Amino acid sequence: MALFQVAYLSSVLDHDGDTHLYVQIAEIIRQQILRGDLAPGHAVPSEATIQSEFGVARTTARRAFHLLREEGLIYTVQGEGTFVGPPSEAAREPRRTPLYRQIANDLIDRIRGGDLRPRRPVPSETTLVQQYDVARETVRKAIAVLREEGWIYTVPQRGSFVSPEDEQPRS
């Protein structure tokens, strides 16, 4: 969902000026919304996308989104994403399968395909957040689904591991 041009962004932010980076990022997104480049109901790039494309910290992206939410320009639906417009006026783009379920399904496919082997660790939350370009809570929900369904198990202070083949769901 690259709505920004990365080469352009490196020169857009004034890192040495008197305006906070999150305010500058919020202004760029605000202008895209006002110009109609981001239409009501359409998804806004994730915090992870903002972070990587602008080269800023996650908290900077989060602050920019906070400003835009306070202005009523965007709203967030946990586990689905952030969308343009106030939630009461803009029907968001329909998503057939929630993001966390898409991630869980992809990981199940990787387990079935042998990419993720029994009794071996599943990728860390941080790795999955970066790989799928989603919020940490979305990854946590996907991991919880996999655990509930029996695809993985968690060992305290060690992480989550792929369940042995004889303990995996049959379907």
Side-chain angles (χ1 to χ4, degrees):
M1 179 189 324
L3 295 175
F4 304 109
Q5 295 175 343
V6 179
Y8 172 69
L9 290 178
S10 59
S11 63
V12 169
L13 297 182
D14 180 4
H15 291 268
D16 299 322
D18 62 351
T19 304
H20 291 286
L21 295 177
Y22 74 92
V23 174
Q24 295 177 50
I25 293 168
E27 179 59 24
I28 290 167
I29 297 170
R30 182 183 302 108
Q31 290 306 314
Q32 288 186 327
I33 292 170
L34 296 176
R35 280 194 315 265
D37 296 339
L38 293 171
H42 284 84
V44 175
S46 69
E47 289 176 0
T49 299
I50 299 295
Q51 178 185 4
S52 67
E53 292 192 12
F54 282 96
V56 296
R58 190 73 171 251
T59 55
T60 302
R62 194 166 284 144
R63 283 180 163 177
F65 278 16
H66 181 75
L67 278 179
L68 296 168
R69 265 194 298 277
E70 282 186 345
E71 294 173 23
L73 291 173
I74 63 173
Y75 66 99
T76 300
V77 177
Q78 187 173 358
E80 293 190 34
T82 301
F83 302 89
V84 176
S88 59
E89 293 179 18
R92 65 183 183 272
E93 292 177 314
R95 180 172 279 140
R96 290 186 173 86
T97 306
L99 280 174
Y100 71 89
R101 186 72 242 189
Q102 290 177 22
I103 294 167
N105 289 345
D106 185 51
L107 292 171
I108 290 168
D109 289 344
R110 291 173 64 188
I111 291 169
R112 286 181 174 149
D115 182 37
L116 298 175
R117 297 189 339 254
R119 298 188 182 274
R120 295 291 175 249
V122 295
S124 69
E125 277 185 9
T126 302
T127 299
L128 293 171
V129 163
Q130 292 170 348
Q131 181 179 355
Y132 291 99
D133 192 24
V134 295
R136 191 168 296 278
E137 275 306 308
T138 304
V139 167
R140 286 181 180 157
K141 201 167 182 179
I143 294 296
V145 165
L146 293 172
R147 192 177 305 112
E148 289 168 13
E149 293 179 0
W151 289 102
I152 66 171
Y153 62 97
T154 300
V155 176
Q157 278 86 46
R158 297 276 303 154
S160 295
F161 296 82
V162 175
S163 295
E165 283 185 49
D166 60 340
E167 295 178 21
Q168 293 175 7
R170 302 284 174 227
S171 55

